[in-house]
Amino acid sequence: MERPSWDEYFMKFATLASSRSICLRRKVGAVIVRDRNILATGYNGPPKGITHCEVVGCLRESMGVPSGQMHELCRGLHAEQNAIIQAAYHGVSIRDSDLYSTTFPCIICTKMLINAGIKRIFYIDGYPDELSAKMLGEVDIELIKVEM
């Protein structure tokens, strides 16, 4: 029996989290891990109690907003944001932890991850946000693309 590596293991959890997303454009999952322990998870979608996009439609889609631009025109939060919020809600520090995400973080998530003290970001798919990549290149956060 072949066991998955730790990185594969946690990325599978991120992929599982993404399956909870109701986003009509892109399903993303994120897991925050420290010392091989899952601290928080998240997936993209609207805040608690807000009508899902599958009911009211996608504002970004109807306006023709390209991926990676004008993030504020969305009812939902990103998976990374929801994972950070979940940790804060439960009083869990995520300083010096790793993020496993199915998608490379956007600029808004990148700024949050930098200030939250994330040390490594593991991701499967890229994301069209040049500023995010540029800012991550200026800090001491290791970026690791995972092949799944």
Side-chain angles (χ1 to χ4, degrees):
M1 183 170 110
E2 188 174 325
R3 295 170 62 186
S5 70
W6 285 109
D7 294 337
E8 292 169 331
Y9 176 75
F10 292 123
M11 194 57 83
K12 286 183 180 191
F13 274 101
T15 301
L16 180 61
S18 75
S19 71
R20 292 278 309 149
S21 173
I22 51 82
C23 181
L24 302 173
R25 292 179 75 167
R26 180 192 313 256
K27 296 182 183 310
V28 180
V31 177
I32 299 175
V33 175
R34 186 176 52 236
D35 299 326
R36 295 184 179 163
N37 290 293
I38 294 174
L39 304 178
T41 65
Y43 54 88
N44 57 327
K48 293 177 186 178
I50 301 298
T51 305
H52 290 181
C53 301
E54 61 188 1
V55 175
V56 297
C58 177
L59 178 61
R60 295 173 57 79
E61 194 69 31
S62 68
M63 294 178 70
V65 177
S67 185
Q69 297 179 19
M70 301 172 69
H71 303 288
E72 69 279 6
L73 294 177
C74 181
R75 298 174 63 80
L77 293 152
H78 288 186
E80 302 93 329
Q81 294 167 352
N82 274 324
I84 292 168
I85 291 166
Q86 184 186 73
Y89 186 85
H90 293 287
V92 176
S93 172
I94 58 173
R95 181 186 316 153
D96 297 327
S97 59
D98 297 332
L99 173 82
Y100 290 82
S101 180
T102 56
T103 303
F104 192 86
C106 74
I107 186 59
I108 295 170
C109 293
T110 289
K111 292 184 280 188
M112 291 178 177
L113 295 167
I114 290 168
N115 278 357
I118 298 294
K119 292 298 178 191
R120 297 188 300 174
I121 297 173
F122 295 81
Y123 66 96
I124 298 172
D125 295 322
Y127 191 73
D129 194 325
E130 292 177 21
L131 185 54
S132 176
K134 182 178 179 184
M135 287 183 80
L136 284 166
E138 294 180 27
V139 295
D140 191 24
I141 296 178
E142 186 177 358
L143 302 172
I144 301 134
K145 184 164 178 30
V146 177
E147 302 296 330
M148 293 290 285

